[in-house]
Amino acid sequence: YDKFTGEHYSPDLIFDRLTRFVSDHSGEPFFAMWTTTVPHSNVQAPLDEVMYYVDKLGDEEPCTEPGMYLPNRYPHATYAAMVTHIDTQVGRLVEKLKELGVYDNTIIVVSSDNGPAHNGNSPLEYFQSGGPFKCCAQWGKGSLREGGIRMPFVVAWGDHLKAAKSSHVACFDDLMPTFADLAGVQAPQNDGISFLPVLEGKEDKQEEHEALYWEFPGGKGWVAVRMGQWKGLV
């Protein structure tokens, strides 16, 4: 499997650029969108990090037919190593922000663009990656079922936010007006609704979407709509 290993690891190259950007702009307002490449179905991670999980999970069957991705000797261990890798990098970013003295004035948002994938190199069923939703084909990434579109969403802002959970239903359209509210500027015309009241602990004053709509023509031609506590999927 050595022939499938490259010289550079893209998550590390991206993270190095990110931390340089943060360091260069720490004396002024900045916005950074960190689109890391892990975890993803081309499961690859540094060998020592993979072997850490091989020791924990034991030997496993290699993935020799991953479709459009590369074969992998230890798909479960490698996927776990990738998740740990980004988790470690988030911690390192927090340390860098604290070192620069800007952590308490920096808003950090961690989320995903879709649910977990299901293929030979992305063991959705093994890790139960869909959480409370059904963990099998057509119930995660590439579907408009809850496992495909309901994402983890974590916001940290130093001492400005209290630890809490929210039942507010939001979507990525809401980020622009929320960030604009936080920055004290007018957002461009958009379909989003600021969820700043939720962040401020004033959920009773939060405006809700009348409806949310999704479509995914690249898959089964899925369309879905949610209104209140009801969702329709065709």
Side-chain angles (χ1 to χ4, degrees), residues 135-175:
C135 295
C136 62
Q138 299 183 11
W139 284 80
K141 179 180 179 179
S143 85
L144 295 184
R145 295 189 170 103
E146 293 299 272
I149 60 176
R150 187 183 294 198
M151 301 297 101
F153 192 85
V154 182
V155 182
W157 186 11
D159 294 330
H160 296 273
L161 301 181
K162 296 180 180 179
K165 294 181 180 180
S166 172
S167 59
H168 175 62
V169 179
C171 63
F172 278 128
D173 297 357
D174 300 334
L175 290 178

Side-chain angles (χ1 to χ4, degrees), residues 100-121:
L100 295 168
V102 296
Y103 173 72
D104 287 332
N105 198 34
T106 301
I107 300 169
I108 301 174
V109 177
V110 179
S111 188
S112 176
D113 58 345
N114 50 246
H118 176 82
N119 55 55
N121 260 349

Side-chain angles (χ1 to χ4, degrees), residues 146 150 167 169 208 210 225-232:
E146 293 299 272
R150 187 183 294 198
S167 59
V169 179
E208 303 288 342
E210 180 180 354
V225 63
R226 173 163 179 162
M227 300 180 70
Q229 296 302 310
W230 295 93
K231 178 182 173 187

Side-chain angles (χ1 to χ4, degrees), residues 113-129:
D113 58 345
N114 50 246
H118 176 82
N119 55 55
N121 260 349
S122 292
L124 171 58
E125 294 173 334
Y126 180 84
F127 286 111
Q128 292 292 291
S129 305

